[in-house]
Amino acid sequence: MKIKARPNGPLLVETGGKCVHSYEGGEDTQEQEFIALCRCGASAQKPFCDGSHKGVDFQAPAGELTIG
Ligand code: FES
C-alpha cells in the first residue's frame, strides 16, 4: 500500500480498486484506485478531501509512505 502526501494538499491512498467507508449510521463503497483524505482539517466531507485546502492556505510538504 502506498500513501502519497500531495504538496499543500490531501493524502492520496492507494486502495487496490475498492474502498469501504464505514461511519456512524452507514457505509459507502467507492470503486477507484485512489482516495484523497483531508489533512488540512477544512473539508466539509471528512475524512475525504473536498478541495477546501486551496482556500485555507494549508501548507505541508509532499511525501510518500510505502507499507508492506
Ligand atoms: S486536504 Fe483537501 S480539504 Fe483538506
Side-chain angles (χ1 to χ4, degrees), residues 4-64:
K4 295 180 181 180
R6 299 290 298 154
N8 307 323
L11 298 173
L12 297 181
V13 181
E14 195 176 72
T15 67
K18 182 178 173 183
C19 171
V20 179
H21 175 214
S22 299
Y23 52 92
E24 190 174 284
E27 184 175 283
D28 291 327
T29 299
Q30 297 181 24
E31 294 190 13
Q32 48 194 57
E33 292 297 320
F34 287 91
I35 56 169
L37 298 178
C38 177
R39 67 173 173 152
C40 76
S43 175
Q45 298 177 358
K46 293 181 189 82
F48 303 105
C49 171
D50 68 357
S52 294
H53 58 272
K54 296 173 188 167
V56 296
D57 195 31
F58 176 67
Q59 296 183 4
E64 185 171 305

